Amino acid sequence: MTGRRTPRGARFAGAAEAVGEERAQPRAVDVGVAERRDVVQAVEALARLRKEGRSGEAHALLVEAASWAPARFPLLAHELERAGLAADWQTLLWEAGSLPAGRLVAAADALGAAGRAGDGQQILRQGAGRPPGEIGEAVLGLVAEGRHREVRVLLDAYVGARTPEEVARSAEPGPQTLVPLLLEAARGVSDERRRDLVHALRVAGFPA
């Protein structure tokens, strides 16, 4: 799904109206005029839906926005909070936790660059909550694409948030590749976490 999709459908109820004067923007937002207009229009539509009590349509809009280009996330945060919709920003962050691993890291990066490192870490923690096998598959996909920095960011969040037993289970899709990466991430947390993971890997049948 591209980052340039224009809001459409009943849930945007009149969102194609002119935006008016340009608003102050958060720093480090790399979006164009069209993208900025889409974000502002979507937030205005969301505010109308909330005012009208149309919560189902509002949630559908947030789910769609969570799939937009990661560069839009800081602007979405800015506009939602500006409109008094901070709770909806939290909902959008929750929905973003299910993004594919590469896009999840990109969204966290964009938020961090815009001075919202806490939001970026929240997305990563939520992304780390997916099943261990899914995490392992996601990491293998990133490795195959040569995206080693994204691998480190994702595993740092994952190993820090899950139990050693859960982390060990994530090695199952490809132990030869995943075990060394998991141990490296665990070492970055603490020596104790690495020792616990070594034990959990051995119990799970993966030499470490």
Side-chain angles (χ1 to χ4, degrees):
M1 191 173 297
T2 65
R4 297 184 60 87
R5 176 163 52 185
T6 300
R8 61 185 184 276
R11 64 179 173 275
F12 285 93
E17 298 168 1
V19 175
E21 64 179 15
E22 184 173 344
R23 302 176 180 183
Q25 304 301 335
R27 64 187 176 89
V29 175
D30 184 18
V31 295
V33 174
E35 286 83 359
R36 183 171 291 112
R37 183 185 63 243
D38 288 351
V39 169
V40 172
Q41 289 176 344
V43 172
E44 289 176 346
L46 179 64
R48 285 193 292 273
L49 292 171
R50 290 299 187 199
K51 185 176 181 180
E52 295 166 7
R54 296 158 66 185
S55 58
E57 291 170 270
H59 185 76
L61 189 156
L62 289 168
V63 171
E64 182 172 356
S67 71
W68 283 356
R72 290 185 175 194
F73 275 52
L75 185 57
L76 278 163
H78 176 76
E79 292 296 336
L80 286 167
E81 291 174 351
R82 183 185 179 94
L85 298 171
D88 284 314
W89 170 239
Q90 292 302 311
T91 299
L92 193 150
L93 284 176
W94 175 261
E95 294 294 340
S98 63
L99 288 171
R103 294 188 64 193
L104 184 77
V105 174
D109 284 346
L111 288 165
R116 304 187 68 100
D119 287 339
Q121 287 300 312
Q122 182 177 335
I123 285 182
L124 290 172
R125 286 194 301 270
Q126 288 166 183
R130 53 189 92 185
E134 188 176 327
I135 290 287
E137 294 286 0
V139 170
L140 289 176
L142 292 173
V143 170
E145 296 171 8
R147 301 171 70 177
H148 302 294
R149 191 191 67 81
E150 286 91 340
V151 167
R152 289 194 299 272
V153 171
L154 182 61
L155 286 183
D156 285 349
Y158 176 63
V159 171
R162 304 294 285 271
T163 67
E165 292 74 21
E166 290 171 324
V167 174
R169 290 201 299 274
S170 68
E172 186 172 352
Q176 272 193 312
T177 299
L178 292 170
V179 167
L181 292 172
L182 292 168
L183 288 172
E184 181 182 356
R187 184 183 299 111
V189 175
S190 69
D191 289 339
E192 181 181 3
R193 177 54 61 92
R194 185 183 184 281
R195 288 193 299 270
D196 290 345
L197 180 56
V198 167
H199 175 72
L201 286 165
R202 288 173 177 166
V203 169
F206 305 125

